[in-house]
Structure formats: C-alpha cells, structure tokens
C-alpha cells in the first residue's frame, strides 16, 4: 500500500455527511475505480467517518481517509490517511497549525500518513471558504506553489482542488510541468468521460466526488472508463 | 556535500551585514568549525552576501548561504542553500509565501537547496520580530512543531532558533525526542564551551554566530573544542 497509491488513475471521493444506499455503494465499489477516499469539509466526525468506512470495507478496495481536521482522523480499518496542507492560504492554521495541534497526540501512525499539498481554486466551495484560500491566482502562481510543494516541501501529492467546479485544464497543465516527483491529483466538477479524460492528460490521478451523488453511478462508470 | 552536512557538529554563522578583518576570518576558518553559514535577517543583499563569500572562500570550508528572502539568494560559489520555513508564525509569507514568490524564478538549483523548519523562540530578535513568530509556546508545542516538521513535511533540518539569546535546554531536549529523521540544529546565545556542550547533548549541530562578533574568535574556539 505504501507505494501502490502512486499508480491510481481514478479515485472516488465519498462524503461521510451524505447518504448512499447499499446498492449504490456496491456499484461504486465495483466500478473499476482504484480506491475510495472518505472525505468532506463540513460536519465530518469520527462517527460518520467510521460509519461510512464500515459500509464500504467489505469490497476490499483501498480505503483512504482524508480528515477535515484532527477531530475526524480515523486510523483503524483504513489503509492510508491523506493529510492536506493548503498552500494558497494566508491562514497558517490550514498550512501547519492544525497539524501542530494534531501532533500533540501521541497515537499518530505516521506510516499511514501521506501528506498532500492542496492548491484550492474554487472560492465558492466549502473548502475554499473554510480555509480562506486565495483562489484568484494565476496559472503561473499555481505552478509556483506546485513547484515549492514538490521541490521544497517534498510533498508526495500535489492536489489541484476545484471542489465542485470544473477547473481550467491549462492551470493543471502548468502545474504538471512544474512538478518533478510528486503525484498530481486533480479534483473538481468531473461529471463526464470527456472531462475525466481531459484532466487525466495532465493529472496522474483524477478524483470524482460530487458526480456520484448528483449524477449517479452511471456517470462514475463513464469517468472510470475514460481513464482506465 | 549532499549528505556530509548531516555530520556537522559545529557550524559558524557569519552575518553579511557585519564586518570582520582578514585576520579574524582566517582564525574562524581554521578554528575547526565544520562549515560557514552566511546568514542574517536585516540588510542582507546579494551584494553583501557575495562579498562575504569572496572573503571566506579561499579557506575551502563548506559554504552555506541561508538567505533572508528571495532577494539575497546566491548559488554561485557556494555548496548549499539552507532555506527556512518558519513553523510557529501566523504569517503565511514566512511559511510558504516567499517560497512561492521565489519559485516564480526559473533559475533555482534545487539540488543545492536544503529546506529547514525554523522554530523561532526569541521574541526580541530580529528574526522573531520580522516573521511574527509566536515565541510564547510551551516545550510540548515546540515538540509538536518539530514532530510535524519531521514526520509530515519531512524537513531534513529542524532548527531551534533562539537568535541572540541562550535557550532552554529542556525545550531542545523535548524537540530532539519528537524527531526521528531530521537533523536538529540549535542556535542562540552560545558564547562558552559549557553552553556549546550543553546544547550539543540534544542538538546534532550547534550554531555559533554572535559570539564571534561580541566575544571574539577565542570564544569560538572554545565552543568548537567543546563539541568536536
């Protein structure tokens, strides 16, 4: 598991604050997606995180928890913990502060932790609002953050997060050119095979989330088929 | 040079904004110190950085430039560039912002760059004031920042910076216990062999700076002999 995640082309992000039927979960888990990421921004707790984990675990797909903060960290029964640091915010809590608070806790299983450099680009998304991200930056500035995340901080993942909105492929292209080592994630607004394929030209891994809830599992299957 | 720096026990920090005679520089360079770091917080420019570099280069000691910001970066004729990110500030410019600005520049020699996680603990120092560091944190909080710097950001250097003031050895001890991989630097107020030896119990590398200017090269020699 420690390096296999680097080969994932398509991951599905499930929100512990939203409901899926058993049938929907079965379809998602057998869609061909490479892994499930349990992640949300609002109303995320250990309780709804573990509840979702228990709903999906029987399918044997790799399970990643991406906590909204220290309060929603779950290690038990999951493979990896993706922990984000937001590059383009002036609020240091989301870069290093909450991580400091979390590290006061002696029970961290660092071997499961994969750090992610988030570059948040949708000002109207919950993650954009909560973290106070400066979403009005140029493609060149996005690329500079990506370069710093890769070359300076050595983040294994750089994540272009348009959360809920389809982003600018040129921005993702510039970010990909700025990176030498990190795996580039793209997430936001992928709700068709064409959009999945377009972002997969530049990103190593694409993330499909809202489309599962808004458009259904059939759309998820199209995005999987477009990149696998 | 790429890993040899990890074995340095004693480094001497020279300030490009201060003057040393040729004789003083000769004594410093032959003191037994492992390397020279050219570094300062105020009035640091490419010009005074290169001037100091030219004064010291003939002695063949490893030369490190630690820029105060993008404007004082020098690559030519130096071995390594130590680039700091301040963990304990609420001002994101000093964590990632200036790094982003710097990365807009295409001429960065990343192979020479060694990232440092600074934990700044003297509120009256220039670095404490300029970066707005929160110096009133507990030993446990310092240790948590050190842990995050080491386990999450994977900084190769964690640097406890009391700049100009002798620090609390218990704080340095706690930081050392929180770290598994990084090299722990301690700097601040070392102006005797006893203080050098005390901090070297916990820190891998001690930094002597102001004492060179305030107490002279004889004191520097005492600090070298105490740790080599």
């Amino acid at each position: 598991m420690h390096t296999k995640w680097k080969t994932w082309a398509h991951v599905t992000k499930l929100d512990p604050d939203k409901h899926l039927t058993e049938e929907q979960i079965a379809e998602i888990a057998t869609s061909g997606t490479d892994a499930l990421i349990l992640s949300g921004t609002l109303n995320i707790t250990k309780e709804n995180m573990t509840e979702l984990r228990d709903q999906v675990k029987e399918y044997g797909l790799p399970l990643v928890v991406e906590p909204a903060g220290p309060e929603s960290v779950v290690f038990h029964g999951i493979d990896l913990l993706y922990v984000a640091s937001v590059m383009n915010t002036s609020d240091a809590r989301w870069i290093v502060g909450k991580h400091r608070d979390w590290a006061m806790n002696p029970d961290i299983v660092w071997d499961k932790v994969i750090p992610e450099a988030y570059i948040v680009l949708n000002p109207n998304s919950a993650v954009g609002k909560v973290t106070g991200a400066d979403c009005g930056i140029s493609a060149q500035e996005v690329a500079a953050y990506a370069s710093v995340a890769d070359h300076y901080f050595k983040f294994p993942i750089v994540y272009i997060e348009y959360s809920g909105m389809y982003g600018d492929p040129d921005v993702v292209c510039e970010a990909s050119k700025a990176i030498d080592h990190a795996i580039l994630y793209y997430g936001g607004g992928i709700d068709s095979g064409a959009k999945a394929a377009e972002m997969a030209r530049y990103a190593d891994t694409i993330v499909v989330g809202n489309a599962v809830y808004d458009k259904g599992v059939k759309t998820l299957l199209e995005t999987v088929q477009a990149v696998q």
Side-chain angles (χ1 to χ4, degrees), chain A residues 10 16 25 30 38 56 65 72 75 81 96 99 111 118 121 133 135 146 151-152 168 171 199 201 205 207 217 224:
Chain A
H10 182 289
I25 285 177
T30 57
L38 317 186
V56 300
V65 160
S72 52
F75 279 112
L81 194 77
V96 61
H99 314 67
D111 280 351
Y118 255 52
L121 295 173
C135 304
H151 297 105
Y152 180 77
D168 182 346
V171 166
M199 287 303 184
R201 289 177 56 192
T205 309
V207 183
V217 179
V224 170

Side-chain angles (χ1 to χ4, degrees), chain A residues 114-171:
Chain A
I114 308 287
E116 302 173 297
Y118 255 52
I119 303 169
V120 177
L121 295 173
N122 178 358
N124 300 314
S125 63
V127 62
K129 289 177 186 169
V130 166
T131 65
D134 178 8
C135 304
I137 57 179
S138 67
Q140 198 191 358
E141 289 169 313
V142 170
Y145 275 123
S147 178
V148 166
D150 182 42
H151 297 105
Y152 180 77
F153 290 110
K154 321 278 197 220
F155 277 100
I157 293 175
V158 173
Y159 194 131
I160 305 289
E161 174 59 291
Y162 275 93
S163 187
M165 162 189 161
Y166 190 64
D168 182 346
D170 291 341
V171 166

Side-chain angles (χ1 to χ4, degrees), chain A residues 24-107:
Chain A
Q24 285 173 313
I25 285 177
E27 288 178 327
I28 293 164
T30 57
S31 67
T33 191
D34 290 309
L36 301 178
I37 301 186
L38 317 186
S39 170
T41 301
L42 303 174
N43 308 316
I44 307 300
T45 62
K46 271 190 184 26
E47 287 66 35
N48 58 21
M49 203 57 106
T50 52
E51 199 174 316
L52 181 56
R53 176 203 65 195
D54 291 344
Q55 277 190 287
V56 300
K57 70 181 177 190
E58 68 180 283
Y59 298 95
L61 268 187
L63 284 190
V64 178
V65 160
E66 188 186 48
E71 69 290 344
S72 52
V73 168
V74 171
F75 279 112
H76 190 72
I78 66 111
D79 297 296
L80 296 172
L81 194 77
Y82 280 7
V83 178
S85 172
V86 179
M87 298 287 98
N88 60 321
T89 178
S90 59
D91 185 341
R93 287 179 305 163
W94 298 100
I95 311 171
V96 61
K98 284 181 175 271
H99 314 67
R100 193 281 309 262
D101 295 344
W102 184 45
M104 306 288 277
N105 178 332
D107 301 323

Side-chain angles (χ1 to χ4, degrees), chain A residues 11 31 92 215:
Chain A
V11 300
S31 67
K215 301 197 120 190

